[in-house]
Structure formats: C-alpha cells, structure tokens
mmCIF file of all heavy atoms in Angstrom:
data_model
loop_
_atom_site.group_PDB
_atom_site.id
_atom_site.type_symbol
_atom_site.label_atom_id
_atom_site.label_comp_id
_atom_site.label_asym_id
_atom_site.label_seq_id
_atom_site.Cartn_x
_atom_site.Cartn_y
_atom_site.Cartn_z
ATOM 1 N N PHE A 1 41.799 120.132 80.919
ATOM 2 C CA PHE A 1 42.358 120.536 82.212
ATOM 3 C C PHE A 1 41.820 119.655 83.341
ATOM 4 O O PHE A 1 42.561 119.175 84.186
ATOM 5 C CB PHE A 1 42.000 122.003 82.503
ATOM 6 C CG PHE A 1 42.894 123.001 81.834
ATOM 7 C CD1 PHE A 1 42.369 123.892 80.905
ATOM 8 C CD2 PHE A 1 44.239 123.069 82.128
ATOM 9 C CE1 PHE A 1 43.184 124.819 80.290
ATOM 10 C CE2 PHE A 1 45.060 123.994 81.514
ATOM 11 C CZ PHE A 1 44.533 124.883 80.593
ATOM 12 N N ASN A 2 40.500 119.474 83.342
ATOM 13 C CA ASN A 2 39.849 118.800 84.473
ATOM 14 C C ASN A 2 39.937 117.284 84.397
ATOM 15 O O ASN A 2 39.753 116.597 85.397
ATOM 16 C CB ASN A 2 38.387 119.235 84.560
ATOM 17 C CG ASN A 2 37.910 119.343 85.982
ATOM 18 O OD1 ASN A 2 38.715 119.450 86.911
ATOM 19 N ND2 ASN A 2 36.613 119.319 86.181
ATOM 20 N N LYS A 3 40.155 116.767 83.168
ATOM 21 C CA LYS A 3 40.371 115.345 82.928
ATOM 22 C C LYS A 3 39.193 114.462 83.357
ATOM 23 O O LYS A 3 39.376 113.291 83.677
ATOM 24 C CB LYS A 3 41.668 114.874 83.609
ATOM 25 C CG LYS A 3 42.880 115.705 83.203
ATOM 26 C CD LYS A 3 44.186 115.088 83.617
ATOM 27 C CE LYS A 3 45.362 115.993 83.262
ATOM 28 N NZ LYS A 3 45.412 116.338 81.841
ATOM 29 N N SER A 4 38.000 115.043 83.339
ATOM 30 C CA SER A 4 36.840 114.259 83.748
ATOM 31 C C SER A 4 35.738 114.224 82.693
ATOM 32 O O SER A 4 34.865 113.352 82.749
ATOM 33 C CB SER A 4 36.262 114.796 85.060
ATOM 34 O OG SER A 4 35.943 116.167 84.956
ATOM 35 N N HIS A 5 35.730 115.164 81.747
ATOM 36 C CA HIS A 5 34.681 115.204 80.728
ATOM 37 C C HIS A 5 35.287 115.500 79.364
ATOM 38 O O HIS A 5 36.325 116.170 79.266
ATOM 39 C CB HIS A 5 33.648 116.284 81.055
ATOM 40 C CG HIS A 5 32.894 116.034 82.322
ATOM 41 N ND1 HIS A 5 31.969 115.033 82.446
ATOM 42 C CD2 HIS A 5 32.945 116.657 83.533
ATOM 43 C CE1 HIS A 5 31.465 115.039 83.669
ATOM 44 N NE2 HIS A 5 32.047 116.020 84.354
ATOM 45 N N PRO A 6 34.655 115.050 78.288
ATOM 46 C CA PRO A 6 35.159 115.369 76.939
ATOM 47 C C PRO A 6 34.898 116.837 76.605
ATOM 48 O O PRO A 6 34.166 117.539 77.305
ATOM 49 C CB PRO A 6 34.357 114.437 76.038
ATOM 50 C CG PRO A 6 33.074 114.223 76.778
ATOM 51 C CD PRO A 6 33.439 114.219 78.242
ATOM 52 N N PHE A 7 35.486 117.260 75.502
ATOM 53 C CA PHE A 7 35.406 118.672 75.095
ATOM 54 C C PHE A 7 35.505 118.702 73.577
ATOM 55 O O PHE A 7 36.220 117.895 72.975
ATOM 56 C CB PHE A 7 36.576 119.450 75.712
ATOM 57 C CG PHE A 7 36.396 120.937 75.817
ATOM 58 C CD1 PHE A 7 36.096 121.535 77.033
ATOM 59 C CD2 PHE A 7 36.541 121.761 74.708
ATOM 60 C CE1 PHE A 7 35.948 122.910 77.153
ATOM 61 C CE2 PHE A 7 36.382 123.132 74.800
ATOM 62 C CZ PHE A 7 36.091 123.712 76.039
ATOM 63 N N VAL A 8 34.803 119.629 72.942
ATOM 64 C CA VAL A 8 34.956 119.837 71.498
ATOM 65 C C VAL A 8 34.869 121.330 71.215
ATOM 66 O O VAL A 8 34.120 122.052 71.889
ATOM 67 C CB VAL A 8 33.890 119.066 70.679
ATOM 68 C CG1 VAL A 8 32.481 119.547 70.987
ATOM 69 C CG2 VAL A 8 34.165 119.154 69.184
ATOM 70 N N TYR A 9 35.667 121.787 70.264
ATOM 71 C CA TYR A 9 35.607 123.199 69.880
ATOM 72 C C TYR A 9 35.950 123.340 68.402
ATOM 73 O O TYR A 9 36.529 122.440 67.781
ATOM 74 C CB TYR A 9 36.542 124.054 70.738
ATOM 75 C CG TYR A 9 38.015 123.796 70.536
ATOM 76 C CD1 TYR A 9 38.741 124.511 69.586
ATOM 77 C CD2 TYR A 9 38.696 122.842 71.293
ATOM 78 C CE1 TYR A 9 40.089 124.285 69.395
ATOM 79 C CE2 TYR A 9 40.047 122.622 71.114
ATOM 80 C CZ TYR A 9 40.740 123.332 70.164
ATOM 81 O OH TYR A 9 42.080 123.102 69.969
ATOM 82 N N THR A 10 35.582 124.490 67.844
ATOM 83 C CA THR A 10 35.810 124.778 66.431
ATOM 84 C C THR A 10 36.983 125.732 66.255
ATOM 85 O O THR A 10 37.309 126.524 67.140
ATOM 86 C CB THR A 10 34.586 125.452 65.802
ATOM 87 O OG1 THR A 10 34.278 126.628 66.562
ATOM 88 C CG2 THR A 10 33.389 124.543 65.784
ATOM 89 N N GLN A 11 37.602 125.652 65.093
ATOM 90 C CA GLN A 11 38.490 126.702 64.596
ATOM 91 C C GLN A 11 38.265 126.753 63.093
ATOM 92 O O GLN A 11 38.811 125.949 62.344
ATOM 93 C CB GLN A 11 39.956 126.432 64.937
ATOM 94 C CG GLN A 11 40.943 127.429 64.324
ATOM 95 C CD GLN A 11 40.590 128.879 64.623
ATOM 96 O OE1 GLN A 11 40.250 129.226 65.739
ATOM 97 N NE2 GLN A 11 40.651 129.725 63.610
ATOM 98 N N CYS A 12 37.435 127.711 62.643
ATOM 99 C CA CYS A 12 36.961 127.727 61.258
ATOM 100 C C CYS A 12 37.802 128.588 60.323
ATOM 101 O O CYS A 12 37.664 128.467 59.102
ATOM 102 C CB CYS A 12 35.509 128.178 61.212
ATOM 103 S SG CYS A 12 34.360 126.958 61.906
ATOM 104 N N GLN A 13 38.610 129.495 60.842
ATOM 105 C CA GLN A 13 39.466 130.279 59.958
ATOM 106 C C GLN A 13 40.627 129.402 59.490
ATOM 107 O O GLN A 13 41.184 128.639 60.304
ATOM 108 C CB GLN A 13 40.006 131.501 60.708
ATOM 109 C CG GLN A 13 40.619 132.548 59.788
ATOM 110 C CD GLN A 13 41.114 133.769 60.548
ATOM 111 O OE1 GLN A 13 41.776 133.656 61.578
ATOM 112 N NE2 GLN A 13 40.799 134.947 60.042
ATOM 113 N N ALA A 14 41.029 129.405 58.200
ATOM 114 C CA ALA A 14 40.525 130.298 57.199
ATOM 115 C C ALA A 14 39.350 129.690 56.425
ATOM 116 O O ALA A 14 38.349 130.342 56.159
ATOM 117 C CB ALA A 14 41.651 130.657 56.243
ATOM 118 N N ILE A 15 39.439 128.393 56.078
ATOM 119 C CA ILE A 15 38.418 127.790 55.205
ATOM 120 C C ILE A 15 37.971 126.443 55.773
ATOM 121 O O ILE A 15 37.884 125.445 55.049
ATOM 122 C CB ILE A 15 38.930 127.646 53.757
ATOM 123 C CG1 ILE A 15 40.248 126.863 53.697
ATOM 124 C CG2 ILE A 15 39.092 129.006 53.109
ATOM 125 C CD1 ILE A 15 40.679 126.488 52.271
ATOM 126 N N HIS A 16 37.658 126.424 57.063
ATOM 127 C CA HIS A 16 37.307 125.158 57.718
ATOM 128 C C HIS A 16 35.856 125.077 58.162
ATOM 129 O O HIS A 16 35.433 124.029 58.637
ATOM 130 C CB HIS A 16 38.234 124.920 58.909
ATOM 131 C CG HIS A 16 39.679 124.863 58.529
ATOM 132 N ND1 HIS A 16 40.244 123.758 57.923
ATOM 133 C CD2 HIS A 16 40.667 125.786 58.631
ATOM 134 C CE1 HIS A 16 41.525 124.006 57.679
ATOM 135 N NE2 HIS A 16 41.798 125.231 58.096
ATOM 136 N N ALA A 17 35.073 126.158 58.015
ATOM 137 C CA ALA A 17 33.654 126.078 58.369
ATOM 138 C C ALA A 17 32.966 124.987 57.556
ATOM 139 O O ALA A 17 32.041 124.316 58.037
ATOM 140 C CB ALA A 17 32.972 127.430 58.145
ATOM 141 N N ARG A 18 33.421 124.775 56.330
ATOM 142 C CA ARG A 18 32.829 123.774 55.431
ATOM 143 C C ARG A 18 32.945 122.355 55.971
ATOM 144 O O ARG A 18 32.290 121.445 55.456
ATOM 145 C CB ARG A 18 33.490 123.871 54.053
ATOM 146 C CG ARG A 18 34.959 123.499 54.034
ATOM 147 C CD ARG A 18 35.650 123.915 52.736
ATOM 148 N NE ARG A 18 35.724 125.372 52.619
ATOM 149 C CZ ARG A 18 36.213 126.002 51.556
ATOM 150 N NH1 ARG A 18 36.697 125.307 50.532
ATOM 151 N NH2 ARG A 18 36.254 127.324 51.524
ATOM 152 N N SER A 19 33.785 122.132 56.967
ATOM 153 C CA SER A 19 33.883 120.793 57.567
ATOM 154 C C SER A 19 32.951 120.643 58.769
ATOM 155 O O SER A 19 32.901 119.567 59.375
ATOM 156 C CB SER A 19 35.327 120.494 57.981
ATOM 157 O OG SER A 19 35.738 121.319 59.058
ATOM 158 N N VAL A 20 32.194 121.722 59.101
ATOM 159 C CA VAL A 20 31.193 121.671 60.173
ATOM 160 C C VAL A 20 29.783 121.685 59.588
ATOM 161 O O VAL A 20 28.886 121.023 60.084
ATOM 162 C CB VAL A 20 31.370 122.850 61.149
ATOM 163 C CG1 VAL A 20 30.369 122.763 62.295
ATOM 164 C CG2 VAL A 20 32.793 122.900 61.693
ATOM 165 N N PHE A 21 29.581 122.453 58.521
ATOM 166 C CA PHE A 21 28.286 122.482 57.833
ATOM 167 C C PHE A 21 28.521 122.940 56.396
ATOM 168 O O PHE A 21 29.464 123.695 56.122
ATOM 169 C CB PHE A 21 27.290 123.407 58.544
ATOM 170 C CG PHE A 21 27.736 124.848 58.667
ATOM 171 C CD1 PHE A 21 27.250 125.825 57.810
ATOM 172 C CD2 PHE A 21 28.627 125.234 59.664
ATOM 173 C CE1 PHE A 21 27.646 127.157 57.922
ATOM 174 C CE2 PHE A 21 29.034 126.561 59.797
ATOM 175 C CZ PHE A 21 28.546 127.523 58.919
ATOM 176 N N PRO A 22 27.693 122.503 55.446
ATOM 177 C CA PRO A 22 27.850 122.986 54.067
ATOM 178 C C PRO A 22 27.590 124.491 54.027
ATOM 179 O O PRO A 22 26.706 125.000 54.727
ATOM 180 C CB PRO A 22 26.767 122.225 53.295
ATOM 181 C CG PRO A 22 26.277 121.162 54.216
ATOM 182 C CD PRO A 22 26.530 121.621 55.606
ATOM 183 N N CYS A 23 28.338 125.195 53.227
ATOM 184 C CA CYS A 23 28.135 126.650 53.165
ATOM 185 C C CYS A 23 28.890 127.225 51.971
ATOM 186 O O CYS A 23 29.746 126.563 51.381
ATOM 187 C CB CYS A 23 28.600 127.335 54.450
ATOM 188 S SG CYS A 23 30.326 127.037 54.905
ATOM 189 N N GLN A 24 28.559 128.460 51.645
ATOM 190 C CA GLN A 24 29.381 129.242 50.726
ATOM 191 C C GLN A 24 30.528 129.787 51.582
ATOM 192 O O GLN A 24 30.455 130.868 52.147
ATOM 193 C CB GLN A 24 28.544 130.356 50.092
ATOM 194 C CG GLN A 24 27.456 129.840 49.153
ATOM 195 C CD GLN A 24 26.502 130.944 48.704
ATOM 196 O OE1 GLN A 24 25.978 131.703 49.521
ATOM 197 N NE2 GLN A 24 26.265 131.027 47.392
ATOM 198 N N ASP A 25 31.571 128.986 51.690
ATOM 199 C CA ASP A 25 32.619 129.238 52.697
ATOM 200 C C ASP A 25 33.642 130.246 52.162
ATOM 201 O O ASP A 25 34.796 129.918 51.895
ATOM 202 C CB ASP A 25 33.297 127.929 53.084
ATOM 203 C CG ASP A 25 34.140 128.054 54.348
ATOM 204 O OD1 ASP A 25 34.105 129.127 54.973
ATOM 205 O OD2 ASP A 25 34.822 127.078 54.707
ATOM 206 N N THR A 26 33.186 131.459 52.010
ATOM 207 C CA THR A 26 34.040 132.565 51.589
ATOM 208 C C THR A 26 33.655 133.787 52.399
ATOM 209 O O THR A 26 32.454 134.004 52.657
ATOM 210 C CB THR A 26 33.883 132.861 50.083
ATOM 211 O OG1 THR A 26 34.495 134.129 49.788
ATOM 212 C CG2 THR A 26 32.421 132.915 49.671
ATOM 213 N N PRO A 27 34.619 134.608 52.800
ATOM 214 C CA PRO A 27 34.254 135.821 53.551
ATOM 215 C C PRO A 27 33.486 136.827 52.713
ATOM 216 O O PRO A 27 32.951 137.793 53.260
ATOM 217 C CB PRO A 27 35.613 136.377 53.999
ATOM 218 C CG PRO A 27 36.621 135.760 53.101
ATOM 219 C CD PRO A 27 36.074 134.406 52.728
ATOM 220 N N ALA A 28 33.406 136.592 51.404
ATOM 221 C CA ALA A 28 32.618 137.480 50.546
ATOM 222 C C ALA A 28 31.123 137.341 50.815
ATOM 223 O O ALA A 28 30.343 138.231 50.475
ATOM 224 C CB ALA A 28 32.915 137.191 49.076
ATOM 225 N N VAL A 29 30.709 136.201 51.398
ATOM 226 C CA VAL A 29 29.299 135.950 51.694
ATOM 227 C C VAL A 29 29.099 135.990 53.203
ATOM 228 O O VAL A 29 29.620 135.143 53.929
ATOM 229 C CB VAL A 29 28.840 134.591 51.129
ATOM 230 C CG1 VAL A 29 27.397 134.303 51.536
ATOM 231 C CG2 VAL A 29 28.973 134.576 49.614
ATOM 232 N N ARG A 30 28.359 136.961 53.672
ATOM 233 C CA ARG A 30 28.096 137.108 55.110
ATOM 234 C C ARG A 30 26.715 136.530 55.429
ATOM 235 O O ARG A 30 25.756 136.751 54.686
ATOM 236 C CB ARG A 30 28.160 138.582 55.516
ATOM 237 C CG ARG A 30 29.492 139.249 55.158
ATOM 238 C CD ARG A 30 29.493 140.717 55.514
ATOM 239 N NE ARG A 30 29.601 140.907 56.956
ATOM 240 C CZ ARG A 30 30.744 141.234 57.595
ATOM 241 N NH1 ARG A 30 31.862 141.411 56.905
ATOM 242 N NH2 ARG A 30 30.749 141.381 58.898
ATOM 243 N N ILE A 31 26.636 135.795 56.529
ATOM 244 C CA ILE A 31 25.391 135.111 56.885
ATOM 245 C C ILE A 31 24.966 135.459 58.312
ATOM 246 O O ILE A 31 25.780 135.771 59.170
ATOM 247 C CB ILE A 31 25.537 133.577 56.782
ATOM 248 C CG1 ILE A 31 26.701 133.088 57.674
ATOM 249 C CG2 ILE A 31 25.722 133.146 55.333
ATOM 250 C CD1 ILE A 31 26.762 131.580 57.824
ATOM 251 N N ARG A 32 23.663 135.421 58.532
ATOM 252 C CA ARG A 32 23.105 135.357 59.876
ATOM 253 C C ARG A 32 22.752 133.892 60.133
ATOM 254 O O ARG A 32 22.500 133.135 59.189
ATOM 255 C CB ARG A 32 21.866 136.234 59.990
ATOM 256 C CG ARG A 32 22.139 137.728 59.842
ATOM 257 C CD ARG A 32 20.839 138.528 59.890
ATOM 258 N NE ARG A 32 21.075 139.968 59.917
ATOM 259 C CZ ARG A 32 21.228 140.728 58.845
ATOM 260 N NH1 ARG A 32 21.181 140.160 57.639
ATOM 261 N NH2 ARG A 32 21.438 142.023 58.948
ATOM 262 N N TYR A 33 22.723 133.489 61.409
ATOM 263 C CA TYR A 33 22.387 132.095 61.669
ATOM 264 C C TYR A 33 21.733 131.922 63.028
ATOM 265 O O TYR A 33 21.833 132.772 63.918
ATOM 266 C CB TYR A 33 23.630 131.196 61.560
ATOM 267 C CG TYR A 33 24.708 131.431 62.594
ATOM 268 C CD1 TYR A 33 24.649 130.818 63.851
ATOM 269 C CD2 TYR A 33 25.818 132.229 62.312
ATOM 270 C CE1 TYR A 33 25.645 131.016 64.794
ATOM 271 C CE2 TYR A 33 26.813 132.428 63.248
ATOM 272 C CZ TYR A 33 26.733 131.824 64.487
ATOM 273 O OH TYR A 33 27.706 132.012 65.417
ATOM 274 N N SER A 34 21.023 130.816 63.157
ATOM 275 C CA SER A 34 20.534 130.341 64.445
ATOM 276 C C SER A 34 21.028 128.911 64.585
ATOM 277 O O SER A 34 21.297 128.227 63.584
ATOM 278 C CB SER A 34 19.010 130.403 64.521
ATOM 279 O OG SER A 34 18.420 129.606 63.513
ATOM 280 N N ALA A 35 21.163 128.455 65.834
ATOM 281 C CA ALA A 35 21.704 127.110 66.055
ATOM 282 C C ALA A 35 21.098 126.492 67.300
ATOM 283 O O ALA A 35 21.000 127.144 68.343
ATOM 284 C CB ALA A 35 23.230 127.158 66.170
ATOM 285 N N SER A 36 20.681 125.229 67.161
ATOM 286 C CA SER A 36 20.225 124.425 68.289
ATOM 287 C C SER A 36 21.249 123.322 68.503
ATOM 288 O O SER A 36 21.454 122.481 67.602
ATOM 289 C CB SER A 36 18.852 123.815 68.014
ATOM 290 O OG SER A 36 17.878 124.819 67.840
ATOM 291 N N LEU A 37 21.907 123.328 69.646
ATOM 292 C CA LEU A 37 22.963 122.369 69.954
ATOM 293 C C LEU A 37 22.428 121.339 70.933
ATOM 294 O O LEU A 37 22.118 121.665 72.090
ATOM 295 C CB LEU A 37 24.186 123.075 70.546
ATOM 296 C CG LEU A 37 25.172 123.719 69.564
ATOM 297 C CD1 LEU A 37 24.509 124.734 68.666
ATOM 298 C CD2 LEU A 37 26.336 124.359 70.329
ATOM 299 N N ASN A 38 22.297 120.098 70.483
ATOM 300 C CA ASN A 38 21.833 118.996 71.318
ATOM 301 C C ASN A 38 23.061 118.295 71.890
ATOM 302 O O ASN A 38 23.824 117.653 71.163
ATOM 303 C CB ASN A 38 20.982 118.044 70.473
ATOM 304 C CG ASN A 38 20.342 116.945 71.289
ATOM 305 O OD1 ASN A 38 21.005 116.273 72.078
ATOM 306 N ND2 ASN A 38 19.050 116.739 71.090
ATOM 307 N N ILE A 39 23.231 118.421 73.209
ATOM 308 C CA ILE A 39 24.474 117.977 73.851
ATOM 309 C C ILE A 39 24.154 117.149 75.095
ATOM 310 O O ILE A 39 23.034 117.190 75.606
ATOM 311 C CB ILE A 39 25.351 119.187 74.248
ATOM 312 C CG1 ILE A 39 24.619 120.065 75.277
ATOM 313 C CG2 ILE A 39 25.727 119.996 73.007
ATOM 314 C CD1 ILE A 39 25.457 121.221 75.806
ATOM 315 N N PRO A 40 25.136 116.385 75.621
ATOM 316 C CA PRO A 40 24.918 115.713 76.903
ATOM 317 C C PRO A 40 24.578 116.727 77.986
ATOM 318 O O PRO A 40 25.175 117.809 78.050
ATOM 319 C CB PRO A 40 26.267 115.031 77.170
ATOM 320 C CG PRO A 40 26.854 114.828 75.810
ATOM 321 C CD PRO A 40 26.427 116.033 75.015
ATOM 322 N N SER A 41 23.628 116.389 78.842
ATOM 323 C CA SER A 41 23.093 117.362 79.793
ATOM 324 C C SER A 41 24.083 117.781 80.868
ATOM 325 O O SER A 41 23.903 118.820 81.507
ATOM 326 C CB SER A 41 21.822 116.812 80.448
ATOM 327 O OG SER A 41 22.088 115.577 81.095
ATOM 328 N N HIS A 42 25.163 117.014 81.082
ATOM 329 C CA HIS A 42 26.144 117.413 82.090
ATOM 330 C C HIS A 42 27.181 118.388 81.524
ATOM 331 O O HIS A 42 28.061 118.839 82.259
ATOM 332 C CB HIS A 42 26.852 116.187 82.673
ATOM 333 C CG HIS A 42 27.583 115.361 81.645
ATOM 334 N ND1 HIS A 42 26.951 114.426 80.858
ATOM 335 C CD2 HIS A 42 28.887 115.328 81.275
ATOM 336 C CE1 HIS A 42 27.831 113.850 80.053
ATOM 337 N NE2 HIS A 42 29.018 114.384 80.280
ATOM 338 N N LEU A 43 27.060 118.721 80.238
ATOM 339 C CA LEU A 43 27.973 119.670 79.604
ATOM 340 C C LEU A 43 27.253 120.978 79.305
ATOM 341 O O LEU A 43 26.029 121.065 79.388
ATOM 342 C CB LEU A 43 28.549 119.073 78.314
ATOM 343 C CG LEU A 43 29.308 117.753 78.452
ATOM 344 C CD1 LEU A 43 29.821 117.286 77.093
ATOM 345 C CD2 LEU A 43 30.465 117.877 79.450
ATOM 346 N N SER A 44 28.029 121.988 78.940
ATOM 347 C CA SER A 44 27.488 123.293 78.549
ATOM 348 C C SER A 44 28.040 123.679 77.194
ATOM 349 O O SER A 44 29.070 123.156 76.761
ATOM 350 C CB SER A 44 27.867 124.371 79.585
ATOM 351 O OG SER A 44 27.371 124.049 80.858
#
C-alpha cells in the first residue's frame, strides 16, 4: 500500500508450514513454539 518498504507474510494452510521450517507438518501433531525474528530495524 505504502510503496516505500518491503513486506513478507506467511500462509501455511494447508501444508505449507514445511516451506518455512522443517516440521511434522500435519494437524495431527500440535506444537508449542518460541520465535526470535531478526529483521531490519525500520520494520516491525
């Protein structure tokens, strides 16, 4: 929209989480997680 900064987002349903991180990518396996995102400081 703003045309001034890049942007990235996920859409993991149905079986696309495996393209972001290795995993047992089935809804039969439920996980808890923590994440540290190292990003450019002008972004959120």
